[in-house]
Amino acid sequence: MENIYIIGDVHGCYRSLLALIEQLPHKFDSKICFVGDLIDRGPASSDVVEFVRTRGYDAVMGNHEKRFVSNAKTALRCAKTGKFTSSNDLYAFFSLDESWLFNNGGEATLASYYRHGGVKQCKEHLRFVSRLPIYLEYDLCDESGRALVVSHSAVGCAWGIRHDAERAKSFAAHVLSGRGDDSANDGIFNVYGHTPVKKPVITEFSANIDLGCVYKNYWGEKARLCALEFPSKKIFTQECIDF
C-alpha cells in the first residue's frame, strides 16, 4: 500500500516546501496532496504553483486560490505592469477585491508573477487553480477503516450535503472558508488546513495540519510547514526558511 503525504498551507513558501519534501522517504517521488492555499502572503507563489502543476501532484482548492481566480483580470494586468502597490492604480482599470490584495497576501502573489513568469505563466496558473477540486476522497483507509478525505477547511457538518446540487454553493463555502467545525463523519478521516495552529490537531476522525508556515515574523520557529503521512499519521515538519 502506497503512503500519501498531505501538505498543509504553503502560502508561497517555496524554499520551505522543497526542504520539507526532502525529508520524505521518497522525496520528490512521493505521492503528495496539498490542502490548498498554495499562494498569497509568501514570496514565491508563482514558483509554488508551477512546481505543483508540473510535478503533477494532487491539490484541492483553497479560499486564496478562489480569490485569485475571482481577480483574474487584476492578476493578469499586474503580472504585466507591476502595478500592485497602490489601490488607485488598480481601481482605474478593475473592480478589485482590495481585501484580498492588501490584507490577505494577493499583492505578494502578483509581485511574484511580475518578477517571474509574467502574463503567460499567470494565465496558465489561473487556468490550473480554477480547475482544482474542493475536496478529494481516496480509496485508502486508516487502521479504523476511515477513508482519506482532503479539503482546505474541515468538511464537518457539511459533508452530508456534498452531492446536493441545490446546496452546492453552501458546501463549497463551508469547505473553502469555514472555521470551527471539525464534526466527525462516519467512514472518513479528513485532513485539512486553513486555520493556523501551533501543533497538528489530530483526532480519531480528522487532522488540522496548517502550522502557519508563512507567519515566521510572528511565530518565529513555531511557524512550520507540515506533512502528514497517511495512513500512519506520522508527522513531518519544516521550519519556515523563506523569510
Side-chain angles (χ1 to χ4, degrees):
M1 179 170 55
E2 182 181 13
N3 290 326
I4 183 169
Y5 297 85
I6 306 97
I7 296 180
D9 303 41
V10 180
H11 279 304
C13 294
Y14 182 58
R15 292 176 59 208
S16 303
L17 173 60
L18 297 185
L20 175 64
I21 295 176
E22 285 283 359
Q23 296 183 38
L24 305 181
H26 299 290
K27 302 184 184 302
F28 297 92
D29 292 326
S30 304
K31 183 172 178 59
I32 291 173
C33 182
F34 292 85
V35 303
D37 281 7
L38 301 171
I39 64 170
D40 291 349
R41 295 195 172 106
S45 290
S46 63
D47 291 325
V48 172
V49 177
E50 182 67 4
F51 173 74
V52 175
R53 185 180 74 92
T54 57
R55 297 287 307 195
Y57 295 133
D58 289 348
V60 298
M61 181 180 288
N63 60 306
H64 284 262
E65 283 81 27
K66 182 68 172 178
R67 285 189 170 194
F68 183 40
V69 173
S70 298
N71 286 271
K73 288 184 178 180
T74 301
L76 293 172
R77 174 82 182 191
C78 292
K80 181 178 181 180
T81 67
K83 291 183 177 179
F84 47 80
T85 57
S86 166
S87 60
N88 292 329
D89 290 334
L90 294 164
Y91 277 125
F93 300 101
F94 309 108
S95 174
L96 174 69
D97 179 357
E98 188 177 28
S99 174
W100 168 68
L101 187 69
F102 299 113
N103 300 325
N104 288 279
E107 182 179 4
T109 294
L110 300 187
S112 74
Y113 285 102
Y114 178 63
R115 292 192 307 268
H116 177 68
V119 172
K120 180 180 179 180
Q121 188 177 80
C122 192
K123 283 182 178 179
E124 292 172 347
H125 290 184
L126 282 163
R127 189 178 304 113
F128 171 73
V129 301
S130 71
R131 295 172 177 172
L132 293 175
I134 59 173
Y135 75 93
L136 285 168
E137 188 170 5
Y138 291 90
D139 293 326
L140 185 62
C141 297
D142 65 9
E143 70 283 354
S144 300
R146 291 179 175 271
L148 173 64
V149 171
V150 179
S151 55
H152 181 56
S153 184
V155 297
C157 63
W159 184 242
I161 64 171
R162 65 193 181 283
H163 299 312
D164 186 340
E166 294 183 357
R167 303 176 72 183
K169 288 185 177 179
S170 294
F171 177 68
H174 189 99
V175 173
L176 289 171
S177 302
R179 297 190 194 275
D181 175 17
D182 62 347
S183 308
N185 289 282
D186 291 341
I188 70 168
F189 187 85
N190 183 203
V191 182
Y192 62 94
H194 185 53
T195 300
V197 289
K198 295 291 179 71
K199 61 181 181 179
V201 179
I202 303 176
T203 72
E204 65 176 298
F205 52 82
S206 69
N208 178 354
I209 59 168
D210 179 7
L211 301 190
C213 183
V214 76
Y215 298 113
K216 177 69 177 286
N217 292 334
Y218 304 97
W219 287 14
E221 64 183 18
K222 290 180 181 281
R224 295 166 292 159
L225 191 59
C226 180
L228 180 143
E229 180 184 85
F230 192 87
S232 74
K233 297 169 190 165
K234 179 180 179 180
I235 291 291
F236 299 81
T237 65
Q238 168 61 50
E239 184 178 343
C240 179
I241 56 174
D242 287 86
F243 297 94

